[in-house]
């Protein structure tokens, strides 16, 4: 399997022009626009305004941001890391990547730091692509087992997977986390169909996951966020597969707001609920997700306005609530470990328990 899927990349470094380039995800699904990120400020803006988003990709972008800062002034390592660390609070990959850069660069003479940071950022990107590919392989085995079990029970020959938010290649170095097993299953000829939660308020499911799956020809159906429970009650979901922005040492999982409700519905309907994540998304320093994970509170306008194309094909934003309505907009929620059937990582599938997480730690 080719891990360097150029058609599955949302961020790359062009060695000829020596430029960091990204697909601007705020323009999807209507326009595939590539923008150049040239400065630390642009890297920070891209993360804050979600031109890049998704836990692994935020960490990768931050690593390139350190390089860009050092290219301008080699004595700004800690200041750059501090600035980048403030861009988004929930995904631990940001902190993980900045710590790795800071520790790796501190002993490098300042004049060589920018190049060393670039090499480290490229390595992070390549490692994440490989990790996601491996997640895909482990997840594929799981999906194959689920499909065979379904067929043995006399069920239809298609596996219905429900996913939330966008945990595809747009959120990672390549392949994705939750979508990687789906891509691998599709490539291996398994019949899979994906229920795509729209994922209010920013609609990452509708605008990004649906776009990605269409790009690869994976059968899918877009649903409103509230439909999952109904579909599960009617036996139309065989497995839920989501990503994670931070996983605790006891197996709690923090992901896009609404994930918890899907896990509850899955539990009530005996639908397996798996979380796919690179180990860079595990925060071994914390145990209790509910009390310890910082949850990002995002702008009210994300809830009270909705962007989209008008009849003339022009991108517009329209108000969907009375002007001035008070809004609450937590970006993430925590799914307790007891609702998680397993964690699909690049080193295998583990139980979402303290013991499972200890086993992962022992591998690293
Ligand atoms: O706010 P976003 O779009 O950055 O949130 C992304 C998610 O919640 C993903 O599911 C998560 O990062 C895991 S996937 C790689």
């Amino acid at each position: 399997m080719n891990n360097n899927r150029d058609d599955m990349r949302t961020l790359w470094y062009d060695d000829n022009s020596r430029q960091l380039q990204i697909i601007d995800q705020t323009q999807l699904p209507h326009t595939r626009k590539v923008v150049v990120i040239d400065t630390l400020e642009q890297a920070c803006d891209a993360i804050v305004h979600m031109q890049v988003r998704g836990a692994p990709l935020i960490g990768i972008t931050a690593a390139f941001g350190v390089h860009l800062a050092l290219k301008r002034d080699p004595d700004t390592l800690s200041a750059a890391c501090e600035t980048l660390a403030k861009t988004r609070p929930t995904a631990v990959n940001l902190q993980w990547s900045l710590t790795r850069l800071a520790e790796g660069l501190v002993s490098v003479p300042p004049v060589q730091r920018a190049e060393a940071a670039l090499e480290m950022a490229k390595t992070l990107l390549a490692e994440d692509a490989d990790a996601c590919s491996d997640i895909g392989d482990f997840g594929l085995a799981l999906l194959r087992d689920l499909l065979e079990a379904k067929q043995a029970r006399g069920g239809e020959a298609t596996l219905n997977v429900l996913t939330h938010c966008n945990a595809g290649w747009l959120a990672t170095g390549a392949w994705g986390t939750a979508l990687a097993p789906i891509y691998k299953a599709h490539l291996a000829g398994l019949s899979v169909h994906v229920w795509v939660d729209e994922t209010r308020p920013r609609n990452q499911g509708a605008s990004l996951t649906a776009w990605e799956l269409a790009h690869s020809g994976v059968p899918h159906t877009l649903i409103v966020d509230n439909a999952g429970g109904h579909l599960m009650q009617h036996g139309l979901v065989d497995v839920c597969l989501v990503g994670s922005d931070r996983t605790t040492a006891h197996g709690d999982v923090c992901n896009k707001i609404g994930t918890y409700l899907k896990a509850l519905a899955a539990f009530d309907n005996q639908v397996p609920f798996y979380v796919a994540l690179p180990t860079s998304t595990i925060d071994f320093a914390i145990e209790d997700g509910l009390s310890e994970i910082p949850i990002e509170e995002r702008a009210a306008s994300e809830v009270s306005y909705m962007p989209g194309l008008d009849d003339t094909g022009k991108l517009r934003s329209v108000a969907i609530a009375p002007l001035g309505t008070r809004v609450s907009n937590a970006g993430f929620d925590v799914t307790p470990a007891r609702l998680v059937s397993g964690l699909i990582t690049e080193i295998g599938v583990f139980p979402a328990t303290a013991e499972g997480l200890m086993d992962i730690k022992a591998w690293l």
Side-chain angles (χ1 to χ4, degrees):
M1 189 69 70
N2 172 17
N3 290 346
N4 285 320
R5 295 285 306 244
D6 285 339
D7 61 332
M8 285 190 170
R9 293 217 177 258
T10 189
L11 173 152
W12 57 92
Y13 187 83
D14 184 331
D15 280 314
N16 294 324
S17 60
R18 291 187 59 81
Q19 278 179 334
L20 176 64
Q21 301 182 349
I22 58 162
I23 296 177
D24 180 351
Q25 297 191 27
T26 62
Q27 303 297 308
L28 291 174
H30 311 298
T31 310
R32 186 189 179 281
K33 182 179 171 197
V34 173
V35 300
V36 173
I37 303 290
D38 232 1
T39 64
L40 170 68
E41 291 73 23
Q42 286 170 356
C44 290
D45 280 353
I47 298 172
V48 168
H49 300 300
M50 296 177 65
Q51 289 174 296
V52 289
R53 29 71 46 206
L57 190 68
I58 293 171
I60 293 164
T61 308
F64 281 101
V66 172
H67 157 67
L68 293 170
L70 298 176
K71 199 165 86 167
R72 187 168 61 194
D73 180 349
D75 289 317
T76 53
L77 177 58
S78 0
C81 290
E82 274 170 36
T83 306
L84 284 156
K86 290 185 195 131
T87 49
R88 290 193 74 188
T90 301
V92 77
N93 306 59
L94 178 64
Q95 204 52 58
W96 174 86
S97 144
L98 291 171
T99 304
R100 196 161 142 176
L101 270 276
E103 288 177 359
L105 293 170
V106 71
S107 55
V108 174
V111 44
Q112 293 167 15
R113 275 187 189 165
E115 277 312 299
L118 178 59
E119 287 316 308
M120 289 184 80
K122 286 183 186 174
T123 302
L124 272 181
L125 174 60
E127 282 179 3
D128 188 65
D130 286 347
C132 289
S133 176
D134 292 344
I135 287 170
D137 292 335
F138 285 115
L140 162 62
L142 210 139
L143 295 186
R144 182 176 275 128
D145 287 350
L146 287 169
L147 183 56
E148 283 173 4
K150 181 177 181 180
Q151 289 166 343
R153 290 193 306 271
E156 57 149 328
T158 296
L159 193 75
N160 290 303
V161 186
L162 183 143
T163 193
H164 192 68
C165 195
N166 172 261
W169 56 263
L170 287 167
T172 65
W175 290 104
T177 56
L179 293 195
I182 293 168
Y183 286 129
K184 297 255 176 169
H186 180 68
L187 287 169
L190 264 65
S191 177
V192 281
H193 162 264
V194 186
W195 295 111
V196 179
D197 282 349
E198 60 178 348
T199 318
R200 280 284 286 146
R202 286 187 71 103
N203 293 318
Q204 288 95 327
S207 58
L208 305 179
T209 300
W211 182 81
E212 267 197 41
L213 293 174
H215 176 84
S216 289
V218 179
H220 60 283
T221 306
L222 180 64
I223 53 174
V224 296
D225 286 330
N226 299 327
H230 164 78
L231 294 174
M232 290 185 220
Q233 285 176 320
H234 287 271
L236 295 171
V237 180
D238 298 306
V239 57
C240 295
L241 196 43
V242 300
S244 170
D245 285 81
R246 200 184 287 229
T247 303
T248 74
H250 282 187
D252 293 343
V253 171
C254 183
N255 191 51
K256 181 54 56 193
I257 192 84
T259 302
Y260 170 52
L261 290 178
K262 294 300 168 294
L264 282 176
F267 186 78
D268 195 44
N269 291 283
Q270 295 88 50
V271 172
F273 186 93
Y274 282 94
V275 182
L277 60 139
T279 52
S280 56
T281 303
I282 302 172
D283 187 347
F284 287 105
I286 64 174
E287 294 173 354
D288 179 44
L290 261 187
S291 63
E292 295 182 88
I293 297 179
I295 300 292
E296 179 176 29
E297 183 68 27
R298 296 194 54 88
S301 57
E302 290 184 350
V303 177
S304 50
Y305 286 80
M306 182 87 90
L309 290 187
D310 69 13
D311 289 347
T312 66
K314 202 164 174 227
L315 196 57
R316 287 194 188 280
S317 180
V318 294
I320 59 163
L323 294 180
T325 301
R326 192 192 310 171
V327 164
S328 163
N329 187 14
F332 298 87
D333 62 24
V334 172
T335 299
R338 69 189 157 79
L339 299 177
V340 177
S341 309
L343 304 172
I344 308 171
T345 75
E346 72 272 26
I347 52 173
V349 182
F350 294 83
T353 58
E355 294 71 32
L357 269 293
M358 261 157 48
D359 284 348
I360 294 178
K361 199 170 184 185
W363 266 86
L364 301 177

